[in-house]
Amino acid sequence: MEIQTEKRCGCRDPETGKQLGKRCAKLRGRKPHGKWSWRIEVPEELIPLVGRTQLRGSGFATKDAAEQDAEDQLAKVRAGQKHIGTLTVGEYLDQWLESKRRLRPTARRSYESHIRLHLKPWLGQVPLSGLRADHLDKAFRQIEAAGARKSRPTGPATIERVRDTLRNALNDAVKRRLIGFNPVAGVELPEYIRPEVEPWEAHEVGAFLDEAATDRLAAMWELIALHGVRRGEACGAIWPGLDADLSVLTITQQITETGARHGVWPPKTRSGRRKVDLDPMTLGSLLAHRLNQDAEREQAGGVWVNGTLPNQHGKPVELSGLMFTRPDGRYLPPEYVSQRMQTIARRAGLLATIRLPAPARAGHVVVGALQRDRDPIGEWTLYVNREPIGTVTVTAVTRLFGNRHRLDLAAPRAAGGGAGAAADVAVGAELGRGLLSRRRLHDLRHASASIQLQEGIDLALVSKRLGHSSPAITGALYAHLLRPAGQRAALAVANAVPRSRRAATPT
């Protein structure tokens, strides 16, 4: 492949207005004028690799610089790297996302959002071949500044996820030999400290499971809260995967949710396809649930079907043998499971919700429907935003219109609690005992991991039970929960070393 160079300028003929190009007389003068360019005719056998019939470059101050750039491009061709010409970052990101055939639905939605809202507006027109760290640094500053002007700013956590999306895309560009290096490595982002996981304590998990004991999905809640099974894995669990003799459940699939569309996919990683050992109580709950499901199937008759969903390749899969379904046999949408969990969690320990504003020293409160199986007579805690602000003692109940009730109090509320109890109580405040703080469904899985680690179960085993790809992920998520184990380790080492003398210690 021969390198051809020439020098041109932008001067125009005063009569015709056309560019003179390489015919300009000033090009032959002593003063610098015009720019050098190069051209290479690509051999026919290399056109599939290069993607075009010619390679070009322009804008060089000297002939030597033009020839050097041409040599560099030739070296990339010989090494197998494509000449990407004017391909922009925005065009490449679109092509890259379209080529990712193994992405989970949630990951694809996240990538698409990052590219559309953050990357293409600030980097979309930059040539991929010229992308450098200073471009990225400026872009991330612009993303941060643009978010600050909105009602919902772009925080450091979102910026970090956007950076991760771009890094993944450019890593693939390096692998495909479109670019020589990944410039994301040279970008410094605002400091971001990932918040620590704060799941429910063991007694709070117990309160939730007690409230959920009468729910038709009670066995599912035990599976998630005690054994850390993911939401989609619980929705996709099948009876053929349960070995009652060994008390083991094999996770083989999960039901996914993307927007309003559902699918049935294998677990996220190879380690996600795992065997989960069950305790006798959970196994008993599952077997009891199976009897109830058999009764529902018999009542539904011929309309009992689990439904059909697309797999990761878009091909329809007929579901069968699902453990947890709707009463008519159809699969459970994952978002319904989350909503149902919130309903149960909110109800745990709750007596009623305040429906009319209560003055500071009122002798009664008006509430909505009373929770069944809870005697309202007695002492109750008053909560605002799930935070206790005082106590009241209910002495009598009067039914009002609709489902509202008047609860007479033994004394004005100021006598039942601290300083906060003397304030007026707005609509939405709650009466209950031990109300649960607000948590997501996924926090039940976190609670299972937390309890296992606090009970001294080995980190590697916890990681395997949760289906993490490595114990390092488990350790990073729950490092703050390993402190008791670290203290036990420190004490064990100190006690294992025999010593006859110790340094003086303060009394």
Side-chain angles (χ1 to χ4, degrees):
M1 292 184 286
E2 182 182 356
I3 300 174
Q4 301 176 25
T5 60
E6 63 180 9
K7 194 177 186 182
R8 289 175 171 268
C9 71
C11 297
R12 296 182 178 274
D13 189 313
E15 297 181 1
T16 64
K18 296 182 179 180
Q19 284 191 349
L20 295 174
K22 59 183 179 180
R23 296 183 290 107
C24 180
K26 296 180 181 179
L27 293 175
R28 293 183 290 274
R30 294 183 177 182
K31 294 183 179 180
H33 185 74
K35 297 291 183 180
W36 285 91
S37 63
W38 60 266
R39 183 178 73 254
I40 299 175
E41 298 293 333
V42 179
E44 185 176 352
E45 64 273 14
L46 293 182
I47 291 177
L49 172 64
V50 178
R52 58 187 63 201
T53 59
Q54 282 188 347
L55 297 182
R56 292 177 177 269
S58 60
F60 301 96
T62 65
K63 181 178 181 180
D64 289 343
E67 291 179 342
Q68 182 60 53
D69 185 71
E71 290 289 349
D72 293 341
Q73 296 301 327
L74 280 176
K76 293 178 180 179
V77 171
R78 296 187 184 104
Q81 182 172 318
K82 288 186 178 180
H83 182 81
I84 57 178
T86 59
L87 180 68
T88 65
V89 173
E91 293 169 342
Y92 168 71
L93 289 175
D94 289 338
Q95 296 173 10
W96 171 76
L97 185 59
E98 186 178 357
S99 70
K100 301 299 288 183
R101 302 173 63 183
R102 297 184 181 180
L103 279 182
R104 317 296 293 186
T106 51
R108 181 173 295 279
R109 182 173 58 185
S110 177
Y111 284 173
E112 188 278 331
S113 174
H114 294 163
I115 292 172
R116 175 173 50 86
L117 297 178
H118 302 293
L119 295 175
K120 290 178 71 174
W122 304 112
L123 292 170
Q125 300 305 314
V126 177
L128 180 62
S129 59
L131 187 63
R132 296 294 182 267
D134 55 338
H135 295 134
L136 305 183
D137 184 68
K138 182 179 179 181
F140 283 117
R141 291 179 185 276
Q142 290 170 322
I143 292 171
E144 189 176 7
R149 295 191 293 267
K150 300 177 182 178
S151 58
R152 189 175 181 182
T154 305
T158 300
I159 292 177
E160 186 173 277
R161 287 192 288 268
V162 172
R163 188 270 310 271
D164 291 343
T165 297
L166 182 60
R167 178 173 56 194
N168 291 339
L170 295 183
N171 279 342
D172 283 352
V174 173
K175 292 177 182 177
R176 298 177 186 180
R177 302 194 176 216
L178 297 178
I179 56 178
F181 68 98
N182 190 337
V184 173
V187 176
E188 184 174 316
L189 295 184
E191 184 179 5
Y192 169 62
I193 301 176
R194 190 178 300 276
E196 294 182 345
V197 173
E198 295 183 358
W200 281 332
E201 300 289 343
H203 71 276
E204 294 175 306
V205 175
F208 170 81
L209 292 179
D210 286 345
E211 186 64 35
T214 57
D215 190 74
R216 64 179 294 272
L217 298 176
M220 172 185 278
W221 308 126
E222 289 189 29
L223 202 59
I224 296 174
L226 300 181
H227 303 284
V229 174
R230 296 179 178 91
R231 178 184 70 170
E233 294 170 346
C235 292
I238 55 177
W239 291 115
L242 177 65
D243 189 329
D245 294 332
L246 297 178
S247 194
V248 169
L249 174 65
T250 302
I251 303 295
T252 58
Q253 65 181 20
Q254 60 179 337
I255 292 180
T256 62
E257 177 264 328
T258 306
R261 294 177 296 179
H262 301 110
V264 56
W265 286 44
K268 185 175 181 179
T269 61
R270 182 176 299 178
S271 54
R273 183 185 176 96
R274 64 195 186 280
K275 296 182 181 296
V276 179
D277 292 295
L278 306 175
D279 64 282
M281 293 180 61
T282 302
L283 177 62
S285 297
L286 288 173
L287 296 179
H289 172 75
R290 188 169 195 172
L291 294 177
N292 293 334
Q293 190 183 77
D294 290 341
E296 290 178 343
R297 182 188 294 107
E298 184 176 350
Q299 185 175 0
V303 300
W304 180 278
V305 290
N306 290 163
T308 301
L309 288 175
N311 62 11
Q312 69 272 32
H313 305 297
K315 297 181 180 179
V317 175
E318 186 175 350
L319 303 175
S320 63
L322 291 181
M323 278 187 172
F324 306 106
T325 66
R326 297 182 236 187
D328 63 356
R330 289 187 61 81
Y331 67 88
L332 287 173
E335 62 271 21
Y336 166 79
V337 177
S338 293
Q339 295 168 1
R340 184 63 184 164
M341 178 266 181
Q342 293 295 332
T343 300
I344 296 172
R346 181 181 176 277
R347 200 174 60 208
L350 180 68
L351 172 66
T353 302
I354 305 295
R355 290 306 180 197
L356 290 178
R361 294 184 175 273
H364 70 276
V365 291
V366 176
V367 300
L370 299 174
Q371 293 294 323
R372 296 178 181 178
D373 304 325
R374 292 199 175 104
D375 183 3
I377 305 301
E379 186 177 275
W380 297 92
T381 301
L382 183 62
Y383 292 83
V384 174
N385 294 326
R386 292 275 149 160
E387 292 294 331
I389 66 168
T391 58
V392 297
T393 301
V394 178
T395 58
V397 182
T398 304
R399 178 73 178 267
L400 303 178
F401 57 90
N403 63 355
R404 296 190 175 186
H405 299 77
R406 168 182 167 143
L407 305 183
D408 293 327
L409 309 180
R413 288 183 296 103
D424 293 347
V425 178
V427 174
E430 298 167 307
L431 286 176
R433 297 190 184 107
L435 297 192
L436 296 175
S437 55
R438 292 183 176 89
R439 291 291 187 273
R440 307 167 303 161
L441 173 62
H442 198 71
D443 289 323
L444 280 179
R445 172 175 161 87
H446 289 325
S448 172
S450 171
I451 295 169
Q452 291 181 65
L453 292 172
Q454 289 174 0
E455 292 300 313
I457 299 176
D458 183 71
L459 179 64
L461 179 56
V462 175
S463 177
K464 183 178 180 180
R465 284 176 55 80
L466 294 176
H468 287 160
S469 57
S470 75
I473 294 177
T474 314
L477 276 173
Y478 308 112
H480 60 293
L481 301 177
L482 296 173
R483 292 167 191 151
Q487 293 169 355
R488 289 194 298 270
L491 184 60
V493 172
N495 291 337
V497 177
R499 299 176 64 182
S500 58
R501 297 183 62 187
R502 293 180 181 271
T505 57
T507 304

